[in-house]
Amino acid sequence: MYALVDCNNFYCSCERVFNPALEGRPVIVLSNNDGCSISRSEEARNLGIAMAAPVFMMKDLIEKHHVTVFSSNYTLYGDMSSRVMGTLALFVPKIELYSIDEAFLDLNEMSYTNLLELGFRIRNAVTKNIGIPVSIGIAPTKTLAKMANRYAKKNYKQSAVFWAANTSQTDEMLSATPVGDIWGIGNQHALFLSRSGFKTAAEFIHAPEDWVKKNLSVKGLRLLYELWGISSIPWEEEKPVRKNICTSRSFGKRISEKNQIAEAMANYAAACAAKLRVEKTCCRRLKVFIQTNPHKTEETQYLRSIEIDLERASNHSGEIIKTALRGLDIIFKPGFLYMKCGVTVMELVPESAVQSSCFDGADREKNGRVMQTIDKINSSLGKEIVRTAVQGFERKYRLKTEYLSPRYTTRMSEILKISI
C-alpha cells in the first residue's frame, strides 16, 4: 500500500504562508523571468487563468480581478519543501521524493494501521506545522495512489484524503478517471486509447495484455498491471543518476551586449556545477547555446550551439564557467537581440571515477576544498552569497521585477534583513 502526498498549488501556498492576507484571493506565480504562470490558486483557476499562460496575455485579467502576481522564488520553495518532507518522514518508515511538492509514502509495513486516519493525521500535521495544504491518495500501487490523490482533490475537497480501500472504491475512482489522466499516459497515447474505445481507466483495465504491450510498449503493460493492483513500478530509494544537467532561461528583456550574456551564461554554468557537486558527479563535456526570439518572425533569427570537451572531467565552478564562456566566444554574433541562453553539462561520471593526469597542473584537492567551503557558505547564508565576479549581472538584473517575492528563504535572520 502506498500514499501520494501532493502540496496544493505549492508555490502559491508558500507565498500565502508569509502573507495570510492573500488567503481567498487569486494568486499566481510566474516562471523564470516572469514569462508565464506555473502555479495558480483555486481562485485564479476559476478566473480562467490557464497553466503556462503567457503573462502578457493576462494583463487585463490580472488588473481587472486584482490578481496578486509573484516571480518564482525557488530558494523559498526549496526551504518549504524540505520542511514538508521532513514532517512526512515522521509518519512512515520510507519516503520517496517524487518532486519538489510530491512524495510517495511506503505503507506496506503498516498493515494494522487505519490508513484513512493516518492520512488525516498527516494532512493536519503538515497544515499545522508548515501551513501548506496537501491532498493525499492511498492505494495498493503507485499509479493508483497518484490517481487517488487526483480523485481526492476533485471529489473530496474538504477532507482532501481518499483511500481506495476496496474493490468498490477503486472501481468508483477508475470510472471517474479519463485515460488521459492516468499517470504515465501522454497526450498521444491518450488520443490513441480514446480512438480505440477506451475512454476511462475503468475501460482500459479490460484491454488485452498483448494488445497493450504491442501498442503501448512494456511501460504501458506495467501501467496496466498497476491499475490491476499489482505493484510494478519499483521503489526508488535514491533518485536515478542523471545523464545530463541543463540550466537555461529566457532573459527578462532581449539583450545584445556580449558581456551581459556572458554573465548570464556564467550563472547557468555555476548552477550546473553546483548540482554536479550535490550529486557527486563530474562532467566530461558541456554544451552552450544562444538564441533570438523565434516569435519575432519579422526579425532575422539566430540560433547557435556548440559542444566542448573539458580537459578533465570536473565539477569545479571556475573550470565549467571558463569552458562555457569559451563556447560563447565561438558562437556569439553581434547585431542580434538575444532572448535566451543556456548550459548543459553532459557525459557525467562519478567523482570517484575521475582519473588524474600527469599533465594536469591544477591542485585538485585544494580546488575541491574551496568548492566545498563555498557550497557550505551558500547553503547556510543563502544562494550565491559567494560567487565569481562574472556572475554579477544576471541575478541583479532578474531581481528588478515588479512581481518579486520579498523573501528569498524561510530563515528568519535573512527575512528580517529584507525590506518588505
Side-chain angles (χ1 to χ4, degrees), residues 96-140:
E96 178 187 313
L97 306 184
Y98 179 63
S99 67
I100 191 172
D101 63 342
E102 290 181 273
F104 285 104
L105 311 183
D106 188 344
L107 309 178
N108 289 301
E109 297 179 13
M110 307 178 73
S111 54
Y112 297 103
T113 303
N114 184 322
L115 298 183
L116 187 61
E117 180 184 336
L118 175 65
F120 287 128
R121 286 196 287 118
I122 291 173
R123 185 173 187 270
N124 292 336
V126 174
T127 303
K128 179 180 178 181
N129 296 349
I130 299 100
I132 301 294
V134 299
S135 298
I136 302 175
I138 304 172

Short mmCIF file of all heavy atoms in Angstrom, two decimals, residues 96-140:
data_model
loop_
_atom_site.label_atom_id
_atom_site.label_comp_id
_atom_site.label_asym_id
_atom_site.label_seq_id
_atom_site.Cartn_x
_atom_site.Cartn_y
_atom_site.Cartn_z
N GLU A 96 9.69 8.47 -0.64
CA GLU A 96 10.35 8.69 -1.93
C GLU A 96 9.96 10.05 -2.46
O GLU A 96 8.78 10.31 -2.74
CB GLU A 96 9.93 7.60 -2.93
CG GLU A 96 10.53 7.78 -4.32
CD GLU A 96 9.97 6.80 -5.33
OE1 GLU A 96 9.90 5.59 -5.00
OE2 GLU A 96 9.58 7.23 -6.44
N LEU A 97 10.92 10.95 -2.60
CA LEU A 97 10.66 12.29 -3.11
C LEU A 97 10.43 12.21 -4.61
O LEU A 97 11.34 11.86 -5.36
CB LEU A 97 11.82 13.23 -2.79
CG LEU A 97 12.24 13.32 -1.32
CD1 LEU A 97 13.33 14.36 -1.15
CD2 LEU A 97 11.05 13.66 -0.44
N TYR A 98 9.23 12.56 -5.03
CA TYR A 98 8.90 12.49 -6.46
C TYR A 98 9.16 13.82 -7.14
O TYR A 98 9.62 13.86 -8.28
CB TYR A 98 7.45 12.07 -6.62
CG TYR A 98 7.01 11.98 -8.06
CD1 TYR A 98 7.59 11.06 -8.93
CD2 TYR A 98 6.01 12.82 -8.57
CE1 TYR A 98 7.20 10.98 -10.25
CE2 TYR A 98 5.61 12.75 -9.88
CZ TYR A 98 6.20 11.83 -10.73
OH TYR A 98 5.83 11.76 -12.04
N SER A 99 8.87 14.93 -6.47
CA SER A 99 9.15 16.26 -7.00
C SER A 99 9.22 17.21 -5.82
O SER A 99 9.15 16.79 -4.66
CB SER A 99 8.05 16.70 -7.98
OG SER A 99 6.82 16.89 -7.30
N ILE A 100 9.37 18.50 -6.10
CA ILE A 100 9.51 19.48 -5.02
C ILE A 100 8.26 19.51 -4.13
O ILE A 100 8.34 19.85 -2.95
CB ILE A 100 9.81 20.88 -5.58
CG1 ILE A 100 10.22 21.85 -4.46
CG2 ILE A 100 8.63 21.43 -6.36
CD1 ILE A 100 10.71 23.19 -4.95
N ASP A 101 7.11 19.13 -4.68
CA ASP A 101 5.87 19.21 -3.91
C ASP A 101 5.11 17.89 -3.82
O ASP A 101 3.96 17.86 -3.41
CB ASP A 101 4.96 20.29 -4.48
CG ASP A 101 4.52 19.98 -5.91
OD1 ASP A 101 5.16 19.14 -6.56
OD2 ASP A 101 3.53 20.58 -6.38
N GLU A 102 5.75 16.79 -4.18
CA GLU A 102 5.10 15.49 -4.13
C GLU A 102 6.03 14.44 -3.54
O GLU A 102 7.24 14.48 -3.76
CB GLU A 102 4.67 15.02 -5.52
CG GLU A 102 3.54 15.79 -6.14
CD GLU A 102 3.19 15.24 -7.50
OE1 GLU A 102 3.81 15.66 -8.50
OE2 GLU A 102 2.29 14.36 -7.59
N ALA A 103 5.44 13.46 -2.83
CA ALA A 103 6.24 12.36 -2.27
C ALA A 103 5.37 11.13 -2.14
O ALA A 103 4.17 11.22 -1.80
CB ALA A 103 6.81 12.75 -0.92
N PHE A 104 5.95 9.98 -2.43
CA PHE A 104 5.31 8.70 -2.18
C PHE A 104 5.70 8.23 -0.79
O PHE A 104 6.86 8.35 -0.37
CB PHE A 104 5.74 7.65 -3.20
CG PHE A 104 5.11 7.81 -4.56
CD1 PHE A 104 5.83 8.33 -5.62
CD2 PHE A 104 3.78 7.44 -4.76
CE1 PHE A 104 5.25 8.47 -6.87
CE2 PHE A 104 3.19 7.58 -6.01
CZ PHE A 104 3.92 8.10 -7.07
N LEU A 105 4.74 7.66 -0.06
CA LEU A 105 4.98 7.09 1.25
C LEU A 105 4.76 5.58 1.17
O LEU A 105 3.75 5.13 0.63
CB LEU A 105 4.05 7.70 2.31
CG LEU A 105 3.94 9.24 2.36
CD1 LEU A 105 3.03 9.64 3.51
CD2 LEU A 105 5.30 9.88 2.49
N ASP A 106 5.69 4.82 1.72
CA ASP A 106 5.57 3.36 1.74
C ASP A 106 4.81 2.95 3.00
O ASP A 106 5.28 3.13 4.12
CB ASP A 106 6.97 2.73 1.73
CG ASP A 106 6.92 1.22 1.55
OD1 ASP A 106 5.83 0.64 1.75
OD2 ASP A 106 7.95 0.62 1.22
N LEU A 107 3.62 2.37 2.79
CA LEU A 107 2.76 1.98 3.91
C LEU A 107 2.68 0.47 4.08
O LEU A 107 1.85 -0.04 4.84
CB LEU A 107 1.34 2.53 3.71
CG LEU A 107 1.22 4.04 3.39
CD1 LEU A 107 -0.24 4.41 3.17
CD2 LEU A 107 1.83 4.87 4.49
N ASN A 108 3.54 -0.27 3.39
CA ASN A 108 3.44 -1.73 3.38
C ASN A 108 3.72 -2.37 4.73
O ASN A 108 3.31 -3.51 4.97
CB ASN A 108 4.38 -2.30 2.32
CG ASN A 108 3.90 -2.00 0.91
OD1 ASN A 108 2.80 -2.38 0.53
ND2 ASN A 108 4.70 -1.28 0.14
N GLU A 109 4.43 -1.68 5.59
CA GLU A 109 4.72 -2.22 6.91
C GLU A 109 3.74 -1.72 7.97
O GLU A 109 3.98 -1.86 9.17
CB GLU A 109 6.15 -1.86 7.32
CG GLU A 109 7.22 -2.44 6.40
CD GLU A 109 8.62 -2.04 6.81
OE1 GLU A 109 8.78 -1.52 7.94
OE2 GLU A 109 9.55 -2.24 6.00
N MET A 110 2.63 -1.13 7.51
CA MET A 110 1.67 -0.54 8.44
C MET A 110 0.29 -1.18 8.26
O MET A 110 -0.74 -0.52 8.21
CB MET A 110 1.60 0.97 8.23
CG MET A 110 2.97 1.65 8.28
SD MET A 110 2.93 3.42 7.96
CE MET A 110 2.22 4.02 9.50
N SER A 111 0.28 -2.52 8.15
CA SER A 111 -0.95 -3.25 7.85
C SER A 111 -1.99 -3.15 8.96
O SER A 111 -3.18 -3.36 8.71
CB SER A 111 -0.62 -4.72 7.57
OG SER A 111 0.12 -5.28 8.64
N TYR A 112 -1.57 -2.87 10.17
CA TYR A 112 -2.52 -2.78 11.29
C TYR A 112 -2.91 -1.33 11.60
O TYR A 112 -3.54 -1.05 12.61
CB TYR A 112 -1.93 -3.42 12.54
CG TYR A 112 -1.67 -4.91 12.37
CD1 TYR A 112 -0.38 -5.38 12.16
CD2 TYR A 112 -2.72 -5.82 12.40
CE1 TYR A 112 -0.15 -6.74 11.99
CE2 TYR A 112 -2.50 -7.18 12.23
CZ TYR A 112 -1.21 -7.63 12.01
OH TYR A 112 -0.98 -8.97 11.84
N THR A 113 -2.54 -0.43 10.71
CA THR A 113 -2.85 0.99 10.90
C THR A 113 -4.09 1.37 10.11
O THR A 113 -4.28 0.91 8.98
CB THR A 113 -1.66 1.87 10.45
OG1 THR A 113 -0.50 1.49 11.16
CG2 THR A 113 -1.95 3.34 10.67
N ASN A 114 -4.94 2.18 10.69
CA ASN A 114 -6.07 2.74 9.96
C ASN A 114 -5.52 3.80 9.01
O ASN A 114 -5.18 4.91 9.43
CB ASN A 114 -7.09 3.35 10.93
CG ASN A 114 -8.34 3.85 10.22
OD1 ASN A 114 -8.27 4.40 9.12
ND2 ASN A 114 -9.49 3.65 10.84
N LEU A 115 -5.41 3.46 7.74
CA LEU A 115 -4.72 4.33 6.79
C LEU A 115 -5.49 5.62 6.51
O LEU A 115 -4.87 6.66 6.25
CB LEU A 115 -4.46 3.57 5.49
CG LEU A 115 -3.55 2.33 5.63
CD1 LEU A 115 -3.30 1.71 4.26
CD2 LEU A 115 -2.24 2.68 6.30
N LEU A 116 -6.80 5.57 6.56
CA LEU A 116 -7.57 6.79 6.35
C LEU A 116 -7.31 7.77 7.50
O LEU A 116 -7.09 8.97 7.27
CB LEU A 116 -9.05 6.47 6.26
CG LEU A 116 -9.97 7.64 5.87
CD1 LEU A 116 -9.60 8.17 4.48
CD2 LEU A 116 -11.43 7.21 5.91
N GLU A 117 -7.30 7.24 8.70
CA GLU A 117 -7.00 8.09 9.86
C GLU A 117 -5.57 8.63 9.78
O GLU A 117 -5.32 9.79 10.10
CB GLU A 117 -7.18 7.30 11.15
CG GLU A 117 -6.90 8.10 12.41
CD GLU A 117 -7.00 7.25 13.66
OE1 GLU A 117 -7.69 6.22 13.63
OE2 GLU A 117 -6.37 7.62 14.67
N LEU A 118 -4.65 7.78 9.32
CA LEU A 118 -3.26 8.21 9.15
C LEU A 118 -3.19 9.36 8.15
O LEU A 118 -2.46 10.33 8.36
CB LEU A 118 -2.39 7.04 8.67
CG LEU A 118 -0.93 7.37 8.34
CD1 LEU A 118 -0.18 7.81 9.59
CD2 LEU A 118 -0.24 6.18 7.67
N GLY A 119 -3.94 9.25 7.06
CA GLY A 119 -3.95 10.31 6.06
C GLY A 119 -4.41 11.64 6.65
O GLY A 119 -3.82 12.70 6.38
N PHE A 120 -5.45 11.60 7.48
CA PHE A 120 -5.93 12.82 8.11
C PHE A 120 -4.89 13.39 9.09
O PHE A 120 -4.70 14.61 9.16
CB PHE A 120 -7.24 12.56 8.85
CG PHE A 120 -8.42 12.36 7.94
CD1 PHE A 120 -9.23 11.25 8.07
CD2 PHE A 120 -8.70 13.28 6.95
CE1 PHE A 120 -10.32 11.07 7.23
CE2 PHE A 120 -9.78 13.10 6.10
CZ PHE A 120 -10.59 12.00 6.24
N ARG A 121 -4.20 12.52 9.81
CA ARG A 121 -3.19 12.98 10.76
C ARG A 121 -2.02 13.64 10.03
O ARG A 121 -1.49 14.67 10.46
CB ARG A 121 -2.69 11.82 11.62
CG ARG A 121 -3.70 11.39 12.68
CD ARG A 121 -3.05 10.54 13.77
NE ARG A 121 -2.74 9.20 13.29
CZ ARG A 121 -1.53 8.68 13.21
NH1 ARG A 121 -0.47 9.40 13.59
NH2 ARG A 121 -1.35 7.45 12.77
N ILE A 122 -1.62 13.04 8.92
CA ILE A 122 -0.52 13.61 8.12
C ILE A 122 -0.93 14.98 7.58
O ILE A 122 -0.17 15.96 7.66
CB ILE A 122 -0.13 12.66 6.97
CG1 ILE A 122 0.53 11.40 7.51
CG2 ILE A 122 0.79 13.38 5.97
CD1 ILE A 122 0.79 10.34 6.44
N ARG A 123 -2.13 15.06 7.02
CA ARG A 123 -2.60 16.32 6.45
C ARG A 123 -2.68 17.42 7.51
O ARG A 123 -2.23 18.55 7.28
CB ARG A 123 -3.96 16.13 5.79
CG ARG A 123 -4.47 17.36 5.05
CD ARG A 123 -5.74 17.03 4.29
NE ARG A 123 -6.10 18.17 3.45
CZ ARG A 123 -6.89 19.17 3.84
NH1 ARG A 123 -7.39 19.17 5.07
NH2 ARG A 123 -7.18 20.15 3.01
N ASN A 124 -3.22 17.08 8.66
CA ASN A 124 -3.34 18.07 9.74
C ASN A 124 -1.97 18.52 10.24
O ASN A 124 -1.76 19.70 10.55
CB ASN A 124 -4.16 17.50 10.89
CG ASN A 124 -5.61 17.30 10.51
OD1 ASN A 124 -6.12 17.95 9.61
ND2 ASN A 124 -6.30 16.39 11.20
N ALA A 125 -1.01 17.58 10.32
CA ALA A 125 0.33 17.92 10.81
C ALA A 125 1.04 18.86 9.85
O ALA A 125 1.68 19.84 10.26
CB ALA A 125 1.15 16.65 11.02
N VAL A 126 0.95 18.58 8.55
CA VAL A 126 1.62 19.44 7.56
C VAL A 126 0.99 20.84 7.57
O VAL A 126 1.70 21.85 7.54
CB VAL A 126 1.55 18.82 6.16
CG1 VAL A 126 2.10 19.78 5.11
CG2 VAL A 126 2.31 17.50 6.11
N THR A 127 -0.33 20.89 7.63
CA THR A 127 -1.01 22.19 7.65
C THR A 127 -0.66 22.98 8.90
O THR A 127 -0.40 24.19 8.85
CB THR A 127 -2.53 21.99 7.57
OG1 THR A 127 -2.85 21.25 6.39
CG2 THR A 127 -3.24 23.34 7.52
N LYS A 128 -0.64 22.30 10.05
CA LYS A 128 -0.35 22.97 11.31
C LYS A 128 1.10 23.38 11.42
O LYS A 128 1.42 24.51 11.83
CB LYS A 128 -0.72 22.05 12.48
CG LYS A 128 -0.45 22.66 13.85
CD LYS A 128 -0.83 21.69 14.96
CE LYS A 128 -0.51 22.27 16.33
NZ LYS A 128 -0.87 21.32 17.42
N ASN A 129 2.03 22.49 11.05
CA ASN A 129 3.46 22.76 11.25
C ASN A 129 4.05 23.69 10.20
O ASN A 129 4.95 24.48 10.51
CB ASN A 129 4.25 21.44 11.24
CG ASN A 129 3.88 20.55 12.40
OD1 ASN A 129 3.20 20.96 13.33
ND2 ASN A 129 4.32 19.30 12.35
N ILE A 130 3.58 23.59 8.96
CA ILE A 130 4.18 24.36 7.87
C ILE A 130 3.22 25.37 7.27
O ILE A 130 3.62 26.41 6.76
CB ILE A 130 4.73 23.42 6.76
CG1 ILE A 130 5.83 22.51 7.32
CG2 ILE A 130 5.34 24.22 5.63
CD1 ILE A 130 5.39 21.15 7.65
N GLY A 131 1.93 25.07 7.33
CA GLY A 131 0.95 25.99 6.74
C GLY A 131 0.63 25.69 5.30
O GLY A 131 -0.04 26.49 4.63
N ILE A 132 1.08 24.55 4.78
CA ILE A 132 0.85 24.17 3.39
C ILE A 132 -0.28 23.14 3.33
O ILE A 132 -0.16 22.06 3.94
CB ILE A 132 2.12 23.59 2.75
CG1 ILE A 132 3.26 24.59 2.79
CG2 ILE A 132 1.85 23.15 1.31
CD1 ILE A 132 3.06 25.82 1.94
N PRO A 133 -1.36 23.38 2.59
CA PRO A 133 -2.42 22.37 2.43
C PRO A 133 -1.97 21.25 1.49
O PRO A 133 -1.29 21.51 0.49
CB PRO A 133 -3.58 23.16 1.84
CG PRO A 133 -2.93 24.29 1.10
CD PRO A 133 -1.69 24.65 1.89
N VAL A 134 -2.32 20.02 1.82
CA VAL A 134 -1.93 18.88 0.98
C VAL A 134 -3.14 18.01 0.70
O VAL A 134 -4.12 18.02 1.43
CB VAL A 134 -0.82 18.03 1.64
CG1 VAL A 134 0.43 18.85 1.87
CG2 VAL A 134 -1.31 17.40 2.95
N SER A 135 -3.04 17.24 -0.40
CA SER A 135 -4.02 16.21 -0.73
C SER A 135 -3.31 14.87 -0.67
O SER A 135 -2.12 14.78 -1.01
CB SER A 135 -4.60 16.43 -2.13
OG SER A 135 -5.27 17.67 -2.19
N ILE A 136 -4.03 13.82 -0.25
CA ILE A 136 -3.41 12.51 -0.05
C ILE A 136 -4.27 11.44 -0.70
O ILE A 136 -5.47 11.35 -0.47
CB ILE A 136 -3.23 12.21 1.45
CG1 ILE A 136 -2.39 13.30 2.12
CG2 ILE A 136 -2.60 10.83 1.65
CD1 ILE A 136 -2.25 13.14 3.62
N GLY A 137 -3.62 10.62 -1.54
CA GLY A 137 -4.27 9.46 -2.14
C GLY A 137 -3.60 8.21 -1.66
O GLY A 137 -2.37 8.12 -1.66
N ILE A 138 -4.38 7.21 -1.26
CA ILE A 138 -3.84 5.96 -0.72
C ILE A 138 -4.40 4.80 -1.53
O ILE A 138 -5.62 4.71 -1.75
CB ILE A 138 -4.22 5.79 0.77
CG1 ILE A 138 -3.75 7.00 1.59
CG2 ILE A 138 -3.63 4.50 1.35
CD1 ILE A 138 -4.25 7.03 3.02
N ALA A 139 -3.51 3.92 -1.99
CA ALA A 139 -3.94 2.81 -2.84
C ALA A 139 -2.86 1.72 -2.88
O ALA A 139 -1.74 1.94 -2.41
CB ALA A 139 -4.26 3.31 -4.25
N PRO A 140 -3.15 0.57 -3.47
CA PRO A 140 -2.19 -0.56 -3.46
C PRO A 140 -0.96 -0.36 -4.32
O PRO A 140 0.04 -1.05 -4.13
CB PRO A 140 -3.03 -1.73 -3.98
CG PRO A 140 -4.44 -1.35 -3.75
CD PRO A 140 -4.48 0.13 -3.92
#
